[in-house]
Amino acid sequence: AGAVSDRSGRDPLTLMAGLLCLGAVGHLLLTSGAPLAAAIGAPIALGLGWGWPGLFHDHVSGLGVGAGPATGYSMIGLSLGGATGPLLIGGVMDVLGTAAGWGATGGLAVTAAGLTLVARRGGGSRRP
């Protein structure tokens, strides 16, 4: 994703939103519970759906804050989400089933993609 972003000259946040949406497709495949769908959906959900943090870091570091502060800003949210997300989705899966958990994960990815695009249109080059 980083190479595509670098070579295309496109906004990394737009590509980031696309990766989140592709990851949601992988999560949708996981909701079926079918082994073949899981074999296809898991690499899409994980490989594409989680290819976005580097693009986010690239965008934040490009705002003029430097690589060190950009890492700090990025890692706060990524670490909190990485610690709490699996617990919350696991709770959903325990109560409502695995399909609901994977569906919720995909829904959150699409929501994050939408919010990224909305923030991109309104944000421009403001510092975090």
Side-chain angles (χ1 to χ4, degrees), residues 1-42:
V4 169
S5 179
D6 289 344
R7 290 186 180 118
S8 71
R10 295 180 63 191
D11 176 27
L13 292 183
T14 303
L15 184 55
M16 181 181 129
L19 288 174
L20 285 163
C21 288
L22 288 171
V25 169
H27 287 104
L28 180 64
L29 288 168
L30 290 170
T31 63
S32 77
L36 181 59
I40 296 168

Side-chain angles (χ1 to χ4, degrees), residues 19-92:
L19 288 174
L20 285 163
C21 288
L22 288 171
V25 169
H27 287 104
L28 180 64
L29 288 168
L30 290 170
T31 63
S32 77
L36 181 59
I40 296 168
I44 293 172
L46 225 52
L48 296 175
W50 283 97
W52 63 267
L55 296 172
F56 181 72
H57 185 273
D58 179 45
H59 173 73
V60 173
S61 64
L63 295 176
V65 298
T71 301
Y73 296 138
S74 301
M75 292 307 295
I76 290 170
L78 291 170
S79 297
L80 286 172
T84 59
L87 294 172
L88 294 172
I89 296 300
V92 170

